[in-house]
Amino acid sequence: MTSTHHLRSVLGAMLIVVTILTGTGCSTTDPATTTLRTRKNVLSLSAQERADFVYALKKMKTVKSPYDSSMNYYDQFVYWHLKAFYCMGGDMSGMYPAHQNPGFLPWHRVYLDLFEQALRSVSGKDVTIPYWDWTQPSSVSTVFAADFMGGDGDPSQGYAVTSGPFQKDSFQVRIFDTDDIDSIFDDVDTDPNPVPYLVRAFTKFKDSSVVLPNAAEMEQTLNIATYDSAPWNSSVDSALSFRNALEGWRGTRGDTCEDGLMDVIPTPARRSQQHNVVHIWVGGVVPSGGKVIAGNMTQASSPNDPVFWIHHANIDRLWSAWMKRHGRTYVPVSGGPMGANLNDVMAPFSFKTDGKNTPASVTDESVLGYKYEVLP
Ligand SMILES: [Cu+2]
């Protein structure tokens, strides 16, 4: 009795201390928000956090996929992303609603969350996917440091990545775009480049170069008041579509199925923006060995390059930032491409038993258990 009473007194005293602590300075006392995982800016990571993230990424290559035992867990995600560009049944019906439509943001949100959960389970570490805010000029040297994503490709070795944890012979690429798949982001013909290592050609786009989006361009995108508009594809006027402006297809005349792959019909003035241009900036399109090749980030199988994850965490963060400004609204409710309507189940995520596989179910990222360190 005495010991129970004593315990109660101790607990009572602790509660008072906790109340005082939370009462001073900390504005939120909602227990639900205190348990959210935080996706941090890459610039905020400690050396240990960088090492843990790298460890988890590499561990994914050593574990079998629970969805398909013929491939490893990392490659499962690459395969889903590549398959999202296939025209199912010869037209665009039945495709995964991952690109060139309103589902771009919710599809990648579910996809990244599944990947984050996988990173945590295979590594046993408390990791989240950090975000790369490419509008911060100082971010480039941190992202591509030798203890994180490694550096640019080496032109004398076919633009192979030869530094950092994912360098040639340390990180194997196994899922390749098929022969018919061209560089997806700016409609340029590239030769198939099925090499088992990462390829990067920073800033190089044929005989010109590209730059990362700046803060003013990001602001302009975040201020577009409408989430998306008909015809719900890559040809929507960016003034009427935050999604299309952020995805970066400005200057296309729509989408088509060509050689079994979803493609865009370009206008002469076309130039990729925002999300797309970051893919091109990392991967590049370059002459190499008598061919024109695209780096991994410029291909449909872009998640082969781990930079994909930190880039897309930032895209997901910008969606959250947009909703903070304009409300948690999503369109279309109906009448859009299959899988991209508000309550459609997004393929291939029908296996999820938690119901978090429709656009409506994930507009609030906290239901997936995470938040961002800072929203612009
Ligand atoms: Cu994607």
Side-chain angles (χ1 to χ4, degrees):
M1 282 308 192
T2 317
S3 63
T4 309
H5 179 76
H6 176 69
L7 185 62
R8 278 207 199 111
S9 317
V10 171
L11 285 172
M14 280 171 69
L15 275 172
I16 291 162
V17 172
V18 168
T19 308
I20 291 164
L21 283 175
T22 53
T24 54
C26 196
S27 60
T28 174
T29 50
D30 177 7
T33 60
T34 58
T35 56
L36 294 176
R37 304 186 299 279
T38 301
R39 290 187 182 169
K40 293 183 182 178
N41 188 317
V42 289
L43 297 176
S44 305
L45 299 182
S46 66
Q48 186 61 52
E49 287 170 326
R50 287 198 298 275
D52 287 350
F53 183 60
V54 166
Y55 172 82
L57 286 166
K58 297 187 83 163
K59 190 83 183 171
M60 288 286 280
K61 287 272 186 182
T62 70
V63 175
K64 261 191 182 22
S65 164
Y67 307 98
D68 180 345
S69 61
S70 73
M71 60 181 86
N72 68 55
Y73 212 167
Y74 192 104
D75 291 352
Q76 176 70 64
F77 284 86
V78 184
Y79 178 72
W80 277 332
H81 195 270
L82 174 61
K83 216 179 154 195
F85 285 92
Y86 290 178
C87 291
M88 313 284 186
D91 59 23
M92 279 176 280
S93 65
M95 286 184 70
Y96 298 175
H99 306 95
Q100 292 141 262
N101 73 65
F104 171 64
L105 291 163
W107 191 92
H108 281 83
R109 174 164 283 181
V110 171
Y111 178 69
L112 253 70
D113 179 59
L114 283 170
F115 190 75
E116 186 168 277
Q117 299 294 350
L119 286 173
R120 293 167 69 82
S121 73
V122 301
S123 70
K125 292 183 188 294
D126 185 23
V127 293
T128 54
I129 304 173
Y131 61 88
W132 173 24
D133 179 357
W134 15 258
T135 67
Q136 295 178 290
S138 60
S139 64
V140 171
S141 58
T142 299
V143 166
F144 297 102
D147 71 342
F148 202 50
M149 295 294 114
D152 198 359
D154 176 356
S156 72
Q157 297 191 50
Y159 290 91
V161 172
T162 56
S163 63
F166 306 102
Q167 62 181 275
K168 196 175 178 178
D169 302 328
S170 297
F171 190 74
Q172 227 200 333
V173 173
R174 296 188 188 88
I175 305 289
F176 304 109
D177 288 20
T178 67
D179 291 10
D180 293 323
I181 293 177
D182 298 330
S183 165
I184 56 171
F185 294 109
D186 251 294
D187 204 59
V188 284
D189 287 330
T190 54
D191 293 297
N193 195 35
V195 290
Y197 48 81
L198 291 180
V199 168
R200 294 177 187 155
F202 291 175
T203 76
K204 296 180 182 64
F205 185 73
K206 299 190 88 173
D207 46 10
S208 67
S209 64
V210 293
V211 294
L212 292 170
N214 63 36
E217 289 161 348
M218 183 186 74
E219 253 322 288
Q220 205 175 19
T221 303
L222 288 172
N223 284 330
I224 297 166
T226 314
Y227 176 73
D228 210 344
S229 299
W232 318 110
N233 61 19
S234 65
S235 74
V236 192
D237 178 353
S238 284
L240 303 173
S241 173
F242 161 71
R243 187 274 311 165
N244 202 34
L246 181 63
E247 194 174 359
W249 300 112
R250 193 161 82 189
T252 79
R253 288 183 284 126
D255 306 305
T256 177
C257 274
E258 238 172 64
D259 305 326
L261 175 77
M262 192 183 193
D263 211 343
V264 292
I265 308 165
T267 58
R270 176 154 174 251
R271 195 196 136 217
S272 274
Q273 313 283 316
Q274 301 281 292
H275 153 266
N276 282 354
V277 83
V278 176
H279 275 274
I280 297 170
W281 188 96
V282 177
V285 172
V286 284
S288 177
K291 305 190 292 182
V292 176
I293 60 165
N296 296 95
M297 274 287 273
T298 323
Q299 302 181 26
S301 53
S302 53
N304 271 321
D305 191 328
V307 173
F308 175 94
W309 305 106
I310 61 176
H311 170 39
H312 267 273
N314 195 46
I315 295 298
D316 187 64
R317 168 179 164 262
L318 294 177
W319 185 30
S320 292
W322 183 87
M323 288 189 284
K324 195 176 141 197
R325 294 184 188 195
H326 303 282
R328 294 197 190 279
T329 59
Y330 180 91
V331 283
V333 174
S334 61
M338 187 196 288
N341 299 296
L342 184 66
N343 292 302
D344 287 355
V345 172
M346 298 180 288
F349 306 129
S350 54
F351 58 77
K352 286 191 81 188
T353 53
D354 62 1
K356 306 276 176 3
N357 51 16
T358 65
S361 67
V362 296
T363 52
D364 181 352
E365 70 276 14
S366 73
V367 304
L368 296 169
Y370 70 86
K371 62 177 178 175
Y372 286 98
E373 186 182 7
V374 178
L375 294 179

